[in-house]
Structure formats: C-alpha cells, structure tokens
Amino acid sequence: MYPWNPQRPSAMPFHRYRPYEERVNVPVQERSWPGRRITEAPLWVPVDLRDGNQALVEPMDTERKHRLFDLLVRRGFKEIEIGYPSASRTDFDFVRHVVSLCASGAVPDDVTPVVFTPARPDLIDRTFESIDGLPRAVVHLYIATSPVWRDVVLGKDREAVAATVREAAERMARRAAERPDADIRFQFSPETFNLTEPDYIIELCDMVSELWDARPERPVTHNLPATVEIATPNVYADQIEYMHRNLARRDSVILSVHPHNDRGTGVACAELAVLAGAQRVEGCLFGNGERTGNVDLVTLALNLYAQGVDPMVDFSDIDAVRDVVEHCNRIPVHPRHPYAGELTHTAFSGTHQDAISKGFIQHSARAAELGVAESEAPWEVPYLPIDPADIGRSYEAVIRVNSQSGKGGMAYLLREHHGLDLPRRLRPDFSRVVQEATDDSGREATPKELYELFRVTYLAPGTDGDHVALSSWTVDRDPSTGAHRFVCTLQIGDRAGDFEGVGNGPLSAFVDALAGAGIAVDILDYSEHATTAGPGSEAVAYAECRVGGDAGETYWGAGRDTSVLTASVHAVLAAVNRAGAGR
C-alpha cells in the first residue's frame, strides 16, 4: 500500500475469488491492437429480440416484437437476431411472422434474420422448421465450452463437447442442404469463450469452419462471447487478437464478439475487440440483457460518430428510438445513459453552463465565418461531445438551473427563451437572486420561472415601485445647445411634486430631476438591446446605479418597452426603487 494512502483493508471476503490469470490462460503475444484506431463501423447485430427478450420480466409478445423489429430495420441494421424458436411457442411464431413479412416484401433484401439454437438435434430441427420459407437466414449454434460449464452444467469433457459440436454442425449442414433455394449461412458461438482454453476454441472453430466449408463468398461467423466479464477490457482484446491471428480460413471467417457488462466495461471490451480484429458486434439497444446487460449498440455507434466515423446506422431521432425500446422492454432508459438519457446533455453546474454558453456563441460565429449552416460547421463546444441536434435533441434542455448553477447558465436561458442579453456585470447579481430562490425551493428553475424572477426583481420596480413613482414625464431637446430637459411628476412616499432636470442626454436630465427631488443617483453602467429583429421587437435597457451619493449603494434596474427611451427611464427608476426597498 502506498504510504500516502489512508485506506485500510476491508472486512469483505475477497480471498474467495481468483484473478483471471488463474482461471484462463491468455497466450503472451506481441500486441498490435493498442496502436490501431477504428476507421469504419463493424457490422452491428442487435440481439434485443432474443438475448434481450429472454432477460425481460415480461417477455415481448408478437406486437411488441414486430414494433421493435420494424425499428431495427428502419434504423439500418442489416443482420438482426429475431429469436430462439426452439425455446418457446412465442419465439417460434414470431420467426414465422418474419417469414411472412419477407414473403410480402416488407423486409428489405439486404436484411438477414438470425435464429439461435443449442447443439441438440431436436432443437436444431425445430429451428429449421421455423425458418422454412425464409429466403435468407443465419442459423446460430451455441454451446458452453469453459471448464466450469463443462464440468458443472454439461457434465462433459473436451472431447465430448467437441463431438456434440461436430454432430450439431453436420446436422445443420444437412438441413441447410435441403433448402438449395435459400441463402442459409452459419454462426458458431463457444459460450463463455473468455473463460475457455484458447487452444480448445481454435480447435472447435476450425472444425466447424471445415464442416461448413467456409469460403470468402460464403463466410462462417465465429462469435466469441464475454458471457460473464472476468477481467479488464485489454485482456479480452488480447484473447480476440489471438483468435484473429490463429483461426484457420481467416479470410472466410467473420470474427464477431458478444460482450456482456458484468464489470461495467462492455463498451470498452467491444471497442478494444474491434481494434484487435473483430468485424462484427452483437449487443442490445441501450444495453438490455441478462444480469447487467449486453453491450449497448447505441453507445458504440455514437462513440464512433463522435470520432468522425460513419456509424452506418441512423440515430438521428434518439428519443423516438428510446420511446420504442422502452415500450417494448418495459424498462426505462436511465436519465444519465450516454447520448440517450434525459439528462445526458444537461448542465446544472455554473462553470459548465458558462463554458457551453460561450461555446454556442463561438460555434455560431465560426459557422458564419465559414459561410455554412451551424448544422454543418465543425463541432467544438465544451462539455458536449456531439451536437445534440444531430440526434434530434433541442438545445432547450442543455442548460437547466438549480441552486448549483452559475450566472452563465441563467443568462443563456434568458437570452434563448426571452430575448434578454444580460450585461456581464448584472449576471452575478441575478445569480444571487436565483440561488436564493432555488435554495428555498430545493428544485430547479424553469426558463419561465427565471424570467418571472427577473421581472419581479429588476423590471417591476421601474413601473410598480413603492418608493418612487413616475406619474407623468416629458423630455425635449434644445436644438441650439443640444441640452435635454426632463420634466416629470414624482410621487415619493406620501408626497408628490413636479420636478425638472437638464443634461446632455435624456437619462442625465432624468438623473438631474431626481436630484432636485432629493434623490442622488449616479449611472455607473448602461446598455440596451432589441429583443428581436423586425416588427414586434421591444427594447430592453439595463442600468447600474449608485443611489444615495458617494456613500450610497449600487443597484441594477431594467426596463422593457417598445420605446428605447421609456425602457431606459424605467431601468433607472427600477434601480432607485430597489435601493429604496433595500434601505
């Protein structure tokens, strides 16, 4: 233990478990995968209708399966595992349903259904019965191969398991030969591959490649599952690279992987496996599956997208995809799920919000500079690995405000939703107002609630103030001197009076009139802008004022009106009334 580490041994019985190197031999080799990068998408194969479905508390009926199958086809998946037809009547019936869809032309010719079967003669026959009439299919044979599964589950040694695989593979070849009109290919999965002796896996895979006469024009798929994760992802990558280098008929083999997520590293295992030579990845949308789930194909595909690589599937409306999957699985997608979760693109932290807001402004400017639409400009916005709009998300949920939020996020929401561009010096002041409100409520503030806070705090005192009310006023300019004269009636507390001020501008003249009423005001900062361009636009003015002379306090006020002058007068008056309320 490091001398600086204060942790102490736990009371947990960790001694009961063995490290991976005591459970399976991973041959030492010169690794090449760490120096590679992924430049094209592997073949994605969703197993939601089989592996995912068998993990559901309430398995899908035909209606839900059809809806999910239709989604997968429309999203661009070209191999889809549609069921385990020998396992249940429901699965068998759905495979027959897909046969009818193919016969009606509802399934594109480049989409191939995959069916799953154990290495038992009667179940293989049942599987082939289910695909009768399919013009193309992959029949997927599996058997557990690792020592623990051989001993505990199957009660067979290596030779007996190999004999079972041989008999099953030969039977599948015979059954396929009975359908010369169909394009039936084969897939083999040595279940628990990552816990099985590598030399034994090579022996089994090479045997079935020969039995199935694997050729480049009719390749065999060897699918190598991390059925239960046992090690860090680099170990799985080493195992895949060993197979990639040592399988016979390599140009006639599609090397596939099927990672699970027991250690929470399914995505990393899949990505490193592709670097190590895998060409095909099985998984589920949003990571559904037994126990902790299968690897998430959505995350894998969009990880590639974020690296500038075409994922070859379409997730441009991620919420529509999520809605269908949640309906079919009856399991919600976690709010923090990568890319698809409700809060995935949301920032509450003030520093994050400020960075994102600045990033949006910079992105807009860069697009204008390049002369392209913002949707086509290179994306470099802090904290957002991809543009939410690319997957059908609006920017509305990117910045949300709670007690942890900062001035940048509040300013962004007021600008985007209400057309207010707060001066930088006003933002910390408003931030304190919002933080006090959200601390009291304990929840986030919506854009509508933010504006209401701003209105009550900064706008309302200019028109409905209790301290000083401006009941009437006029302003004119002397064309000979350029001086402005401000004439007004003020209600100050319980007294009213007419006052007049002169200045080189309307606001300085108004300040002079206030001085005549005994209210000393210095304007320290002032800005204005239009809420929108064109008809219907309003002017918004902001004034930072010191009220009460040199020893007075500073307050911000704001005004909003169709007239710039009226908005500016209301802004100064709002600051005066806020000062009066403060005192």
Side-chain angles (χ1 to χ4, degrees):
M1 185 174 287
Y2 294 108
W4 45 261
N5 188 344
Q7 296 178 135
R8 293 293 176 263
S10 73
M12 297 179 68
F14 59 88
H15 60 275
R16 300 178 61 207
Y17 304 96
R18 293 184 295 155
Y20 80 89
E21 63 268 21
E22 294 181 14
R23 303 173 71 187
V24 62
N25 172 49
V26 180
V28 177
Q29 58 187 357
E30 188 67 31
R31 297 179 179 89
S32 59
W33 61 262
R36 296 181 184 149
R37 60 180 295 264
I38 303 174
T39 57
E40 61 179 322
L43 177 64
W44 310 115
V45 181
V47 296
D48 303 73
L49 294 166
R50 194 275 302 173
D51 202 341
N53 184 58
Q54 69 189 36
L56 299 178
V57 174
E58 184 183 337
M60 287 178 258
D61 55 23
T62 296
E63 182 276 325
R64 284 154 63 201
K65 283 193 169 198
H66 186 143
R67 187 173 176 184
L68 186 52
F69 178 73
D70 183 59
L71 172 78
L72 297 172
V73 171
R74 287 186 288 107
R75 292 306 95 203
F77 291 100
K78 299 305 179 185
E79 266 190 32
I80 303 171
E81 193 166 76
I82 59 172
Y84 190 161
S86 66
S88 71
R89 182 74 197 182
T90 303
D91 266 30
F92 185 93
D93 288 346
F94 181 71
V95 175
R96 298 305 302 160
H97 178 66
V98 173
V99 172
S100 68
L101 291 176
C102 288
S104 68
V107 179
D109 291 342
D110 60 353
V111 173
T112 301
V114 182
V115 289
F116 190 73
T117 182
R120 282 179 45 186
D122 56 329
L123 302 184
I124 290 171
D125 289 345
R126 179 70 168 163
T127 301
F128 272 88
E129 288 172 26
S130 73
I131 62 170
D132 186 36
L134 264 184
R136 60 201 169 275
V138 173
V139 181
H140 179 182
L141 172 69
Y142 84 95
I143 191 170
T145 55
S146 65
V148 171
W149 270 254
R150 294 195 307 258
D151 295 343
V152 175
V153 180
L154 301 177
K156 295 182 177 182
D157 59 16
R158 285 174 51 147
E159 290 72 22
V161 169
T164 300
V165 171
R166 173 179 288 278
E167 291 168 9
E170 289 173 341
R171 191 177 197 88
M172 287 170 57
R174 288 195 302 271
R175 291 304 306 261
E178 296 169 2
R179 290 281 313 282
D181 59 317
D183 178 16
I184 298 177
R185 294 188 293 109
F186 304 121
Q187 174 176 336
F188 173 58
S189 284
E191 191 188 11
T192 64
F193 153 80
N194 59 325
L195 278 164
T196 304
E197 307 92 328
D199 67 301
Y200 186 47
I201 295 292
I202 292 287
E203 175 189 330
L204 294 175
C205 289
D206 286 352
M207 177 180 69
V208 297
S209 290
E210 182 177 352
L211 286 170
W212 289 336
D213 190 23
R215 304 187 303 275
E217 67 274 15
R218 192 169 177 273
V220 165
T221 299
H222 287 312
N223 186 52
L224 308 176
T227 308
V228 180
E229 284 194 306
I230 62 162
T232 49
N234 61 295
V235 175
Y236 188 55
D238 285 344
Q239 292 174 306
I240 297 303
E241 188 164 49
Y242 178 81
M243 299 297 293
H244 171 57
R245 290 180 178 179
N246 291 282
L247 280 171
R249 305 192 188 202
R250 184 63 188 88
D251 64 346
S252 303
V253 167
I254 299 170
L255 189 56
S256 176
V257 292
H258 180 112
H260 277 254
N261 203 40
D262 300 273
R263 292 166 53 91
T265 60
V267 167
C269 280
E271 291 179 330
L272 268 56
V274 172
L275 291 174
Q279 301 151 295
R280 179 182 184 272
V281 178
E282 293 187 348
C284 289
L285 302 189
F286 309 116
N288 183 41
E290 295 279 17
R291 305 181 311 281
T292 55
N294 295 286
V295 69
D296 174 19
L297 295 185
V298 175
T299 298
L300 285 171
L302 290 176
N303 280 356
L304 280 188
Y305 182 78
Q307 295 293 309
V309 177
D310 185 350
M312 306 300 283
V313 285
D314 181 3
F315 291 126
S316 58
D317 189 349
I318 197 69
D319 289 334
V321 174
R322 188 186 69 184
D323 288 347
V324 171
V325 173
E326 288 183 329
H327 167 79
C328 293
N329 289 342
R330 297 184 178 171
I331 297 175
V333 172
H334 194 279
R336 298 290 183 191
H337 194 96
Y339 300 108
E342 181 185 340
L343 298 176
T344 295
H345 302 108
T346 301
F348 289 103
S349 161
T351 54
H352 291 198
Q353 291 175 339
D354 186 57
I356 292 170
S357 180
K358 290 173 179 174
F360 279 146
I361 294 169
Q362 177 64 29
H363 179 71
S364 181
R366 186 185 302 115
E369 183 181 313
L370 295 172
V372 299
E374 290 185 27
S375 60
E376 295 296 324
W379 182 257
E380 289 184 5
V381 173
Y383 297 109
L384 296 176
I386 66 171
D387 184 348
D390 287 354
I391 54 174
R393 291 278 175 86
S394 71
Y395 298 131
E396 185 171 339
V398 170
I399 292 177
R400 290 163 63 177
V401 170
N402 63 13
S403 61
Q404 303 300 308
S405 302
K407 55 188 183 295
M410 301 164 197
Y412 172 83
L413 290 177
L414 286 179
R415 182 174 68 248
E416 291 298 310
H417 292 269
H418 300 285
L420 302 184
D421 189 7
L422 303 192
R424 289 195 171 277
R425 286 162 59 119
L426 170 55
R427 294 176 188 182
D429 191 79
F430 184 49
S431 177
R432 286 188 288 273
V433 173
V434 174
Q435 190 160 32
E436 182 177 340
T438 51
D439 274 340
D440 288 344
S441 69
R443 61 180 184 84
E444 70 171 297
T446 66
K448 182 179 179 180
E449 290 168 334
L450 281 178
Y451 180 77
E452 182 60 16
L453 274 175
F454 182 85
R455 188 194 67 79
V456 168
T457 306
Y458 300 101
L459 291 171
T463 55
D464 308 316
D466 294 332
H467 181 54
V468 179
L470 186 62
S471 50
S472 65
W473 60 278
T474 61
V475 62
D476 57 57
R477 180 178 178 275
D478 185 337
S480 61
T481 64
H484 289 73
R485 187 167 67 99
F486 195 100
V487 179
C488 60
T489 300
L490 295 174
Q491 179 78 36
I492 306 171
D494 56 0
R495 64 188 177 92
D498 296 327
F499 300 91
E500 180 179 320
V502 178
N504 57 10
L507 284 188
S508 60
F510 178 43
V511 166
D512 190 48
L514 288 171
I519 303 171
V521 179
D522 295 305
I523 299 177
L524 306 179
D525 192 16
Y526 173 82
S527 65
E528 64 188 48
H529 65 80
T531 54
T532 58
S537 175
E538 290 185 303
V540 183
Y542 310 89
E544 181 186 24
C545 302
R546 184 170 58 236
V547 182
D550 292 340
E553 295 188 37
T554 300
Y555 290 88
W556 278 94
R560 184 169 187 167
D561 197 87
T562 54
S563 161
V564 175
L565 178 57
T566 302
S568 62
V569 169
H570 287 169
V572 172
L573 190 59
V576 170
N577 276 313
R578 291 190 68 221
R583 287 197 295 269

